[in-house]
Amino acid sequence: MTSDCDGFLTKVLAFSGAVPFIFGAFLLLNGISSLPMLGSVAKLVLTYGLVIVSFMAGAHWGQNLSGIEGTTGLFWKSNFLTVSAWLAFALLKPSTFAVVLILIFATLFWIDRRLAIEGVISKSYLKTRFAVTGLVCLSLALTASAIA
């Protein structure tokens, strides 16, 4: 029973994490570029993307620390992706950074796919990640087009 609850909670949290991306794209596509007390919608979406990339890369760091076979190299990959995202955020125009985020989220999914093949993460989780990554990447593409 616990695994069913954990699986449900994982799905709810994963899809909930995509909501700011979806909502931000919706606002921008409807001409709403700023929110009272929060400011720029694009900046909110893109800084949220930076946080989520760091969070997901940090999960890979933790998997490497666990010493589970099949996690070799995650230190380097997670650090590279996090620092790359931060540099892109600092140096690129927002629409270009949104495209970089799409590439990084796709790379994080590819890493999780490899981990699923190695048996480190479940195939059920990978299915959820595929759907959420698709929603996030589509939302970021719409965001990029709205702010270009």
Side-chain angles (χ1 to χ4, degrees):
M1 178 82 177
T2 303
S3 64
D4 288 341
C5 291
D6 290 344
F8 175 75
L9 181 59
T10 298
K11 287 179 183 174
V12 168
L13 291 174
F15 281 99
S16 295
V19 169
F21 293 106
I22 297 165
F23 188 61
F26 174 80
L27 291 174
L28 291 167
L29 290 171
N30 285 287
I32 301 168
S33 60
S34 185
L35 294 174
M37 298 177 25
L38 295 175
S40 166
V41 172
K43 186 174 181 178
L44 290 168
V45 169
L46 298 176
T47 55
Y48 179 71
L50 182 60
V51 168
I52 297 302
V53 161
S54 299
F55 172 78
M56 294 178 70
H60 289 155
W61 179 286
Q63 288 168 330
N64 189 260
L65 284 174
S66 70
I68 297 172
E69 191 171 326
T71 60
T72 306
L74 288 180
F75 277 134
W76 306 112
K77 292 172 189 170
S78 65
N79 279 309
F80 175 78
L81 292 172
T82 301
V83 172
S84 295
W86 175 73
L87 286 172
F89 177 78
L91 300 173
L92 300 175
K93 66 182 187 172
S95 59
T96 305
F97 176 60
V99 173
V100 170
L101 281 176
I102 292 168
L103 296 172
I104 291 174
F105 279 116
T107 301
L108 288 165
F109 175 78
W110 177 80
I111 291 169
D112 279 347
R113 183 180 168 277
R114 296 294 311 154
L115 292 172
I117 290 169
E118 294 289 330
V120 175
I121 62 171
S122 72
K123 301 222 190 272
S124 169
Y125 173 70
L126 187 66
K127 287 180 186 177
T128 299
R129 280 275 289 112
F130 180 75
V132 173
T133 299
L135 285 171
V136 168
C137 290
L138 175 62
S139 298
L140 285 168
L142 293 171
T143 294
S145 70
I147 63 177

